[in-house]
Amino acid sequence: MTEGKNEFWEWTKALLIAVGMAALIRYFIFAPIVVDGLSMMPTLESGDRMIVNKMSNPDRFDIVVFHAPENKDYIKRVIGLPGDTVEYIDDVLYVNGKALDEPYLNEYKSEVTDGPLTPDFTLAEITGQETVPDGEIFVLGDNRRFSKDGRHIGTVKIDKIVGETKFVYWPFDQIRIVD
């Protein structure tokens, strides 16, 4: 009888340790997220399931998940880092006065015939500040005409970032790494 109790206790401890480890990993390191909406098309589609890396330090053009002002999590692309000036002129992104290529927009830009994909703007027009403040980033959705992003909510505090995401794991036939 004692041997049965010991075996049960060993299995119980192993199960508790496994559940605890899974909870720690999900809470502190990785978490799943479901893309909701069309703001990141064509890069991401509504319903894509992704893994968020909570240990990352996002850089320009990374895709991040953050807590938005509406108590929702948004998924957008980092465009401006602390200290950057950001502006759009004639459908071209300028960061710190330098034109930057955005290859992830090429598909949409080729389809648009009735004006620019991204209307002209400057960071100063949106936020009243010339540069992205320290401890904050500026984000945009890839589907520029249909995205509620930094042009509407302003800059995002870095401590509101959940993490960076690159890996789509569902739908199964569309598993991929996104840039």
Side-chain angles (χ1 to χ4, degrees):
M1 187 86 159
T2 307
E3 188 176 314
K5 285 184 179 180
N6 280 342
E7 186 174 341
F8 175 76
W9 177 241
E10 292 302 319
W11 276 104
T12 302
K13 284 194 309 189
L15 182 61
L16 289 173
I17 290 170
V19 168
M21 294 287 289
L24 287 172
I25 289 170
R26 183 178 182 319
Y27 190 76
F28 292 109
I29 301 173
F30 296 108
I33 189 166
V34 179
V35 177
D36 181 21
L38 305 175
S39 71
M40 286 299 292
M41 290 280 292
T43 308
L44 301 172
E45 297 184 19
S46 190
D48 281 351
R49 286 169 165 60
M50 304 184 75
I51 299 292
V52 177
N53 177 359
K54 295 181 174 188
M55 303 285 289
S56 66
N57 188 12
D59 202 1
R60 187 177 335 280
F61 300 133
D62 286 347
I63 298 172
V64 296
V65 176
F66 62 94
H67 302 303
E70 297 86 19
N71 293 322
K72 286 181 67 175
D73 286 348
Y74 280 9
I75 184 166
K76 306 292 177 194
R77 191 174 297 272
V78 176
I79 300 297
L81 299 171
D84 284 348
T85 61
V86 177
E87 63 184 330
Y88 249 91
I89 302 171
D90 296 327
D91 222 7
V92 176
L93 169 65
Y94 291 88
V95 175
N96 300 324
K98 179 181 176 189
L100 298 181
D101 187 35
E102 296 180 282
Y104 47 86
L105 295 181
N106 290 344
E107 180 181 337
Y108 267 7
K109 281 185 177 182
S110 67
E111 295 172 2
V112 174
T113 58
D114 61 341
L117 178 64
T118 310
D120 291 355
F121 73 86
T122 66
L123 186 67
E125 292 169 349
I126 293 169
T127 66
Q129 298 179 310
E130 294 294 321
T131 62
V132 178
D134 284 340
E136 300 184 21
I137 59 172
F138 183 75
V139 296
L140 293 174
D142 289 357
N143 191 357
R144 301 290 166 80
R145 289 185 168 187
F146 303 100
S147 177
K148 186 171 184 182
D149 50 34
R151 295 169 294 175
H152 306 94
I153 63 171
T155 55
V156 175
K157 292 186 182 303
I158 290 175
D159 65 4
K160 296 291 185 187
I161 297 174
V162 175
E164 176 187 358
T165 185
K166 291 184 182 217
F167 180 66
V168 176
Y169 68 89
W170 189 265
F172 191 70
D173 63 339
Q174 295 180 27
I175 290 175
R176 66 193 184 279
I177 303 290
V178 292
D179 289 328

